Amino acid sequence: MPGIHIIDIEAAINYWRGKQPSPDGVTLAPEVRALAGVYALLVFRHQDLADETAFPADALAAWHAWYDTTADTPCIAICSTSQGDELCKGCGRTFEEVQHWLAMSPVEKRITWRRITQEATAWRFGRYADRALEKK
């Protein structure tokens, strides 16, 4: 079961907190409240993945709105899979991930992003990091 990682939920919460700050330090934006419910259940259950199909509609909409603000692809235009490598030296994706990227769901893409970020062996994390800078 592909799931949405707690770190992505936290990032989405922080995105919405920045976009719609609490006017009084107590009241939360509807998106933050929706995501916080999912986050709290994960913490309570000692889990780090939330099943996308179990997300309440408002929480999933808030997560997707955050997702739409993230970089779409880890590609840095140095693709070694085109040269026969099973794992791209530039971005860290597998040949299959590169080939099927456009057909992957947002959750599948975030799973891939998480893996390549944790591995941090691709050139995008080292000598070509300047190519990977995201627009702020």
Side-chain angles (χ1 to χ4, degrees), residues 21-29 32-33:
S22 173
D24 56 11
V26 177
T27 308
L28 299 175
V32 174
R33 260 194 323 273

Side-chain angles (χ1 to χ4, degrees), residues 11-115:
I13 288 170
N14 289 332
Y15 165 79
W16 284 106
R17 287 179 63 212
K19 189 172 175 86
Q20 297 179 20
S22 173
D24 56 11
V26 177
T27 308
L28 299 175
E31 295 85 359
V32 174
R33 260 194 323 273
L35 290 163
V38 176
Y39 185 87
L41 282 175
L42 287 176
V43 171
F44 179 75
R45 295 176 180 155
H46 301 282
Q47 297 173 334
D48 58 3
L49 288 178
D51 182 359
E52 176 186 14
T53 61
F55 258 60
D58 54 350
L60 190 58
W63 185 85
H64 275 283
W66 162 79
Y67 170 81
D68 289 342
T69 69
T70 64
D72 180 55
T73 178
C75 183
I76 61 168
I78 301 175
C79 190
S80 69
T81 60
S82 63
Q83 305 301 316
D85 287 346
E86 185 58 31
L87 194 66
C88 180
K89 290 180 178 91
C91 70
R93 293 179 293 170
T94 66
F95 177 77
E96 289 77 22
E97 289 165 345
V98 171
Q99 294 301 306
H100 300 289
W101 189 258
L102 295 177
M104 291 170 69
S105 73
V107 172
E108 292 169 326
K109 289 179 180 181
R110 289 303 303 165
I111 290 168
T112 301
W113 268 104
R114 180 164 169 70
R115 179 185 54 76

